Structure formats: structure tokens, C-alpha cells
């Protein structure tokens, strides 16, 4: 058994994931009736989603209890990078939708979905989520509340100077980290199951029905991932950003693409940050926070879908209004995790700024659910890989000032 494990661990995880991906596609095409294979994907995502809240809770609590608080400036830099990149993504989406206008065939029926009425309601939901019951937060994966209570308990442990308590928290977080590494090592089987389920269920028909809209969404998010974010990192580090960008996309973005869950990808990101040599005190807090406020993909989706609705109805949107829309999309995207349905249910809020009625905007939401298998995958990959990218950028900025060599 030990020899089998050694052989399994020898190739890189990315190579094994690619092999699992190819096998999943082939099985989905040639034996779509073998639905038991998709169960591997369900088990993998379920395991990550289950362990992630516990990992974040104990890791944040342990980090703060044992922290020296020497990284306040770096933490502020991370938050700025998260928010500014989200705003830039929304602005890019505005110009993309203007340059390549798309219209869609609206559906006849509208799903009964509850969308927020405005940015005030989004922020209210966000604040209410922060003070949710901590046990319920752990059970439901409410990372805002998990962060809030972990910070409170971590600072409480630090203030009472309980060395035994601090050591205990650290031991628990390290034990959970080992469990997470074991789950991540099984990612190729999970990815194979997820890809099989997607291919066997959806096939390729989704590309023909809403091809132009999908191309616009994916193209805009790829531009953000491969041009805008690297430009930000390059300016900050004064180095070629692409080695770091590609590493984050390859090792974080790929798993996020297939799991379609930023929460499930937090353990993957933490493992990557550790291998990048980042400070655990910083990334154990910044990554869960990034899963909430670093929402480049969500801002792009909200902006493009809203402007697509305007194009479909023949509503002219001038540039100042479109830029205002990008700010609304940025704020809404940061609150997307506090609203059931994520970024899609924030489309009506953005549409209301353009004078689009609720019944029409909800039809646009239903279109979003149809293309969600692609849109949500790319969106999550962009969001999650950016969490690591900007956490590393903030850390490496400090290294550069101290004269340390950057691993780029």
C-alpha cells in the first residue's frame, strides 16, 4: 500500500487532474449511462465543502491567537487589491458589452426567485450574515460569520494569554490541514466525476443556443485574468507577473472551474499559499475574506447580463450610466455570497438602474441559470485564483522592499 501511495504521489497534481479530465470527457461521451462515475465528483466537492468551514474557523482563530500583528499593512494592501480588481473587472465588462453588444431571446416563463431590491438590501443581508449563529454558520458554510466568530475567539484567546489554548488551536488547525491535503490528493478522481456528469448531462448543445453571450462573458473574464490582473501585479511587483499568474490559474483556477465553488476551493488555495511561501497568519484570514470580496467574475457577469438586457430591449445606456453600473456591480458582487443564488440574483438590482422592469430582468436571470454550467465555472475560476494571486502580491511587495528575491 505504501508503494502504491508513493507511485500515486510522484506525478504532479495538475498532470493527474488533466488525465482525470480527459478520461471524464471520454467516459461522458461514450458511456453516459454510467452515472455512478459522477458520484466521485459529488463526493469530492462534498468533502471539500464539509471540511473548508472547519479549516477556516480553526486556522483563522489559531493565526490570530498566535499572531504578532506585524502584517497590518500587508493585510490592508490585500483588501485594496481585491476591491480594486473587482472594480476594474466591472469597468472592463462595460466596455466589452459596448464594443460587442449582444441580444438574447428572452424566455416565456419566469422562475419564482427572490432577488434583492437594491444595494441597501444586499448590504443589510451581508451584515445580518456576519452575526449569524456560529454553529449554523459552520453548518451552512457562511464564511462571513465564520470569519467574524473566528476573529472574536482568536482575539479572545490572545487577550487571556492562554498558552495551552493557543497551542491546542494550532494543533487542531494543523491536523485539519493534513486531512485537507489528503482530500486534495484525490482531486483527479473528483474532477473526472464532475466532468463526466457535465458532459453526459449537457453535451455540447449549450454552446449553440447562447454562444455569443457565452463568448462575451468568457472572453471578458479571460481578459481580466490574463491582462488586467497581471498588469496590476506587474505594477505592484515591478516584475514579470505571468509566472505567478499562470501558477495560480493552473493550481487554483482549474479545480475551482470544475468544483464551481469558491468555498470548496479555499483548502486548495491555502495549500497553494503554503507552497508559495506566504505567511500563514496573512493568508488564513485573507483567503476566506477574498472568497467574499474578491469577485472579478461576479462583477463581470452582473454588468454584462444587465447591459445585454438593455440591448435586447433597445435601451441606450450612455457611458456615465454604464460606469455607475460598474460601481453598483462591484458593491453587489462583494455581497453576492450573502444572497441565495450568488451573482445571478443580483442582476435585477443592476437592471433597475437602467430602468428595466423586474419581470424582464428575472427572465435574464433564468438565461443565466441555463448557461451557468459554463459561466459559473469560469467565474469561480477567476475569483478563486485571484484570491491567491493578490494575497501573494501583497506578501511579495513587502519582500521586494526588504530586498528579498521574489520566486517569480
Amino acid at each position: 500500500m505504501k508503494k502504491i501511495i508513493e507511485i500515486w504521489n510522484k506525478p504532479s497534481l495538475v498532470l493527474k487532474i488533466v488525465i482525470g479530465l480527459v478520461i471524464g470527457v471520454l467516459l461522458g461521451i461514450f458511456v453516459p449511462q454510467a452515472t455512478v462515475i459522477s458520484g466521485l465528483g459529488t463526493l469530492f466537492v462534498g468533502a471539500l465543502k464539509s471540511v473548508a468551514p472547519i479549516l477556516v474557523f480553526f486556522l483563522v482563530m489559531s493565526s490570530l491567537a498566535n499572531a504578532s500583528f506585524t502584517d497590518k499593512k500587508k493585510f490592508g494592501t490585500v483588501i485594496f487589491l481585491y476591491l480594486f480588481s473587482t472594480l476594474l473587472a466591472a469597468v472592463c465588462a462595460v466596455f466589452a458589452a459596448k464594443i460587442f453588444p449582444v441580444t438574447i431571446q428572452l424566455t416565456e416563463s419566469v422562475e419564482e426567485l427572490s432577488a434583492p431590491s437594491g444595494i441597501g438590501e444586499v448590504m443589510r443581508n451581508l451584515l445580518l450574515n456576519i452575526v449569524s449563529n456560529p454553529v449554523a454558520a459552520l453548518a451552512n458554510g457562511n464564511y462571513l460569520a465564520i470569519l467574524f466568530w473566528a476573529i472574536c475567539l482568536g482575539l479572545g484567546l490572545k487577550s487571556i494569554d492562554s498558552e495551552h489554548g493557543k497551542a491546542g488551536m494550532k494543533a487542531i488547525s494543523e491536523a485539519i490541514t493534513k486531512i485537507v491535503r489528503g482530500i486534495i490528493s484525490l482531486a483527479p478522481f473528483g474532477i473526472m466525476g464532475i466532468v463526466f456528469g457535465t458532459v453526459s448531462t449537457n453535451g455540447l448543445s449549450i454552446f449553440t443556443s447562447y454562444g455569443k453571450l457565452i463568448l462575451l462573458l468568457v472572453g471578458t473574464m479571460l481578459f481580466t485574468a490574463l491582462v488586467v490582473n497581471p498588469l496590476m501585479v506587474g505594477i505592484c511587483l515591478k516584475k514579470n507577473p505571468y509566472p505567478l499568474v499562470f501558477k495560480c490559474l493552473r493550481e487554483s483556477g482549474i479545480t475551482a472551474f470544475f468544483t464551481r465553488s469558491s468555498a470548496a476551493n479555499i483548502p486548495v488555495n491555502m495549500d497553494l499559499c503554503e507552497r508559495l511561501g506566504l505567511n500563514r497568519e496573512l493568508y488564513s484570514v485573507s483567503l476566506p475574506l477574498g472568497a467574499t470580496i474578491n469577485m472579478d467574475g461576479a462583477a463581470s457577469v452582473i454588468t454584462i447580463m444587465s447591459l445585454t438586457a438593455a440591448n435586447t430591449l433597445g435601451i441606450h445606456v450612455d457611458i456615465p450610466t454604464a460606469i455607475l453600473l460598474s460601481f453598483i456591480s462591484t458593491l453587489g458582487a462583494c455581497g453576492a455570497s450573502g444572497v441565495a443564488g450568488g451573482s445571478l440574483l443580483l442582476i435585477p438590482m443592476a437592471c433597475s438602474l437602467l430602468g428595466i422592469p423586474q419581470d424582464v430582468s428575472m427572465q435574464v436571470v433564468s438565461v443565466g441559470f441555463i448557461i451557468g454550467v459554463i459561466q459559473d465555472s469560469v467565474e469561480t475560476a477567476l475569483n478563486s485564483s485571484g484570491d491567491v494571486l493578490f494575497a501573494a502580491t501583497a506578501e511579495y511587495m513587502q519582500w521586494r522592499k526588504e530586498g528579498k528575491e521574489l520566486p517569480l
Side-chain angles (χ1 to χ4, degrees), residues 137 146 345:
I146 290 170
L345 284 184

Side-chain angles (χ1 to χ4, degrees), residues 65-105:
N66 294 281
S68 58
F69 294 104
T70 58
D71 295 319
K72 290 180 182 178
K73 190 172 182 181
K74 277 191 281 188
F75 193 69
T77 302
V78 171
I79 294 174
F80 171 78
L81 291 173
Y82 283 163
L83 293 174
F84 190 60
S85 69
T86 302
L87 176 60
L88 286 182
V91 172
C92 288
V94 165
F95 285 101
K98 283 287 187 181
I99 296 170
F100 305 104
V102 172
T103 58
I104 55 175
Q105 182 67 45

Side-chain angles (χ1 to χ4, degrees), residues 47-206:
L48 280 177
K49 282 186 174 180
S50 297
V51 76
I54 303 169
L55 172 68
V56 169
F57 184 73
F58 282 102
L59 204 56
V60 171
M61 188 164 35
S62 171
S63 296
L64 289 175
N66 294 281
S68 58
F69 294 104
T70 58
D71 295 319
K72 290 180 182 178
K73 190 172 182 181
K74 277 191 281 188
F75 193 69
T77 302
V78 171
I79 294 174
F80 171 78
L81 291 173
Y82 283 163
L83 293 174
F84 190 60
S85 69
T86 302
L87 176 60
L88 286 182
V91 172
C92 288
V94 165
F95 285 101
K98 283 287 187 181
I99 296 170
F100 305 104
V102 172
T103 58
I104 55 175
Q105 182 67 45
L106 296 176
T107 56
E108 294 298 325
S109 59
V110 181
E111 286 189 64
E112 289 297 324
L113 299 168
S114 178
S117 58
I119 196 67
E121 186 178 345
V122 173
M123 294 298 110
R124 177 177 172 274
N125 291 338
L126 211 58
L127 291 173
L128 289 176
N129 279 337
I130 290 174
V131 293
S132 293
N133 181 286
V135 177
L138 284 168
N140 299 324
N142 178 358
Y143 285 90
L144 283 173
I146 290 170
L147 268 174
F148 175 75
W149 292 113
I151 289 170
C152 291
L153 289 170
L155 293 176
L157 278 171
K158 188 172 183 65
S159 66
I160 62 174
D161 199 27
S162 172
E163 295 302 322
H164 292 296
K166 293 176 186 178
M169 291 300 102
K170 190 172 182 179
I172 292 172
S173 67
E174 288 176 356
I176 298 171
T177 300
K178 286 185 178 180
I179 295 172
V180 167
R181 285 178 185 156
I183 296 172
I184 293 172
S185 70
L186 300 174
F189 297 105
I191 297 300
M192 181 182 71
I194 294 168
V195 172
F196 170 84
T198 301
V199 172
S200 62
T201 303
N202 298 285
L204 302 176
S205 60
I206 192 171

Side-chain angles (χ1 to χ4, degrees), residues 299-316:
S300 299
V301 169
I302 294 168
T303 304
I304 287 175
M305 295 295 278
S306 302
L307 290 174
T308 297
N311 290 333
T312 302
L313 297 177
I315 298 173
H316 173 70

